[in-house]
Amino acid sequence: MSLPFAVSSKSLIKKHLSQDTYKRLETLVTASGFTLEKAIQSGIANPDSSIGIYLGDAESYELFSDVLTPVIEDYHGVAKPQIHQADFSPVKLSDPDPEKKYILSTRVRVARNIENYNFTCHLSLQERKCLEQDVIEALQVLPAGLAGTYHSFEGEVDKSLLFKKGDRFQEAAGINSDFPKGRGIFYSEDTRFRIWLGEEDHLRLISQESSTDLANVYNHLGQALIFLEKHLKFIKDNRYGYLTTCPTNLGTSMRAGVHIRLRNLAENRILLREIVDRHQLQLRGTGGENTEVEDCVFDISNKRRLGLSEKAIITGLYSGLLAIIDAEKTLVNNGEVYV
Ligand code: CIR
């Protein structure tokens, strides 16, 4: 039997799943009933998948490791990740943009999944509702400064508060099942701290501000996690760190980034790309992945999530931003337009 991927598919799952491995793994089932066939549904339905696999539970990472190990090593560029060294301790960094001329907003997010529940592509409505109740209870422990309100998507909810239903990749994986039931969003009173419940992972925890103070935004999230970890047990693996539905988020599961206006570098994309690559960052359009750059506003964030700590990610982003802002200013000093 040939593997069911489109001939045109360039996904990592197609690249690393040989006939032999598929034959060996196709009959295996995790205790919660998840199979390799379910895991690769999205990659089969979407020939343009870059990875093409989502996992249904923590055990899948072990059971299907013969194919997952090469996929993870290939995507993350880490040869045989050893013990994951987490370090979310607070950082002290000066403001990367003290003149407030370039950075428009700063955002740090992590993904978390909760022990004893399957991941979101393998979750019944009843399980989603139990998970939601556990999270609502845990949110009661948040102290002033982090405390806020949970908005269930099933009640009367301001449309601007909703996160969107997942894309076609997530749809094919089963992540959108029963949407919007069992989903919701939490906002701290000052809206600087947010939680998405039931998107691609159980939780996406987000610290976001229209400020340039990277350290503050990062430290705020670290503080929220300390409180939540007292009441929720997050699924963590020695080697892969926080386990996530999509293997691209393994490790720290952290994306830290800014929206930054770069009028001069927008005209010199080769230089911008060179600095971004040197600092192992990722360049996206104004609205995120696969969007256009509007009014010279870029979304710049860390590329690596696995094989380094949270602290290393934030300090790496900081150095990259200093280099980018310096290059933007240098172009001005060299007589090129915008001051
Ligand atoms: C793909 O394989 O292209 C999609 N499954 C998306 C991969 C990126 N992961 C993500 O957004 N969490």
Side-chain angles (χ1 to χ4, degrees):
M1 191 208 94
S2 72
L3 290 171
F5 295 106
V7 180
S8 62
S9 170
K10 302 242 179 327
S11 68
L12 292 185
I13 188 65
K14 182 184 172 195
K15 177 176 168 189
H16 293 289
L17 186 58
S18 67
Q19 287 277 0
D20 278 359
T21 311
Y22 189 66
K23 222 170 164 196
R24 216 163 356 96
L25 302 183
E26 71 174 334
T27 53
L28 304 182
V29 186
T30 68
S32 79
F34 199 71
T35 60
L36 184 61
E37 196 193 338
K38 288 183 188 164
I40 63 175
Q41 276 317 302
S42 184
I44 293 168
N46 296 287
D48 56 341
S49 291
S50 50
I51 320 297
I53 184 163
Y54 292 93
L55 289 313
D57 54 24
E59 192 192 343
S60 332
Y61 274 98
E62 280 301 313
L63 205 60
F64 309 128
S65 66
D66 285 0
V67 64
L68 278 169
T69 305
V71 166
I72 292 166
E73 288 179 7
D74 196 340
Y75 177 81
H76 290 277
V78 181
K80 306 244 173 298
Q82 303 295 318
I83 302 289
H84 175 70
Q85 305 283 356
D87 180 4
F88 217 131
S89 55
V91 293
K92 265 195 185 158
L93 301 168
S94 61
D95 191 327
D97 179 15
E99 299 164 89
K100 322 283 179 206
K101 273 178 75 174
Y102 308 100
I103 297 176
L104 305 174
S105 65
T106 306
R107 181 180 190 268
V108 183
R109 70 90 164 141
V110 291
R112 292 288 184 270
N113 289 292
I114 296 165
E115 276 189 8
N116 300 320
Y117 287 100
N118 299 330
F119 295 161
T120 57
C121 60
H122 185 46
L123 210 50
S124 69
L125 181 55
Q126 202 186 355
E127 288 164 334
R128 284 188 187 276
K129 299 232 175 204
C130 288
L131 172 73
E132 187 180 29
Q133 282 315 310
D134 284 357
V135 174
I136 290 172
E137 251 173 61
L139 291 174
Q140 312 300 323
V141 304
L142 289 170
L146 288 164
T149 310
Y150 177 73
H151 306 267
S152 158
F153 287 5
E154 283 180 66
E156 283 286 303
V157 54
D158 178 346
K159 288 259 181 295
S160 67
L161 294 179
L162 298 173
F163 56 74
K164 282 190 284 199
K165 191 174 179 176
D167 60 24
R168 65 190 157 85
F169 300 93
Q170 295 163 324
E171 177 70 35
I175 290 170
N176 291 339
S177 66
D178 301 302
F179 188 90
K181 292 181 184 155
R183 274 77 164 184
I185 193 161
F186 169 87
Y187 277 88
S188 65
E189 269 157 34
D190 60 10
T191 74
R192 288 165 56 215
F193 173 57
R194 300 154 194 200
I195 302 175
W196 292 2
L197 181 129
E199 204 238 13
E200 186 175 289
D201 290 287
H202 294 161
L203 304 180
R204 288 287 171 99
L205 301 118
I206 304 156
S207 174
Q208 186 170 349
E209 288 180 31
S210 50
S211 90
T212 57
D213 194 343
L214 184 60
N216 197 39
V217 174
Y218 165 84
N219 292 339
H220 197 58
L221 181 57
Q223 200 196 1
L225 283 165
I226 290 173
F227 285 105
L228 287 173
E229 271 166 354
K230 289 184 185 151
H231 294 264
L232 292 171
K233 270 194 150 234
F234 299 134
I235 304 176
K236 206 172 170 190
D237 176 79
N238 271 343
R239 193 158 54 129
Y240 291 140
Y242 292 100
L243 294 185
T244 48
T245 312
C246 178
T248 59
N249 283 314
L250 288 173
T252 58
S253 72
M254 186 162 131
R255 194 166 101 81
V258 295
H259 270 122
I260 183 166
R261 180 168 282 121
L262 301 166
R263 293 198 188 281
N264 295 302
L265 284 166
E267 302 297 319
N268 195 337
R269 300 282 177 107
I270 294 175
L271 176 59
L272 178 58
R273 168 81 47 203
E274 189 268 308
I275 305 170
V276 159
D277 288 348
R278 181 155 29 94
H279 289 268
Q280 296 185 299
L281 301 176
Q282 200 170 44
L283 198 58
R284 300 181 177 190
T286 313
E289 210 155 15
N290 307 320
T291 62
E292 294 301 314
V293 174
E294 289 164 27
D295 199 16
C296 305
V297 176
F298 295 85
D299 175 330
I300 297 182
S301 60
N302 60 298
K303 187 152 67 183
R304 299 178 62 205
R305 317 209 199 291
L306 178 66
L308 74 176
S309 71
E310 292 82 354
K311 198 170 186 172
I313 288 178
I314 212 74
T315 51
L317 173 65
Y318 176 73
S319 311
L321 290 174
L322 291 184
I324 289 165
I325 291 173
D326 190 51
E328 175 73 8
K329 286 181 179 169
T330 306
L331 288 175
V332 172
N333 293 337
N334 286 348
E336 292 181 45
V337 288
Y338 300 100
V339 188

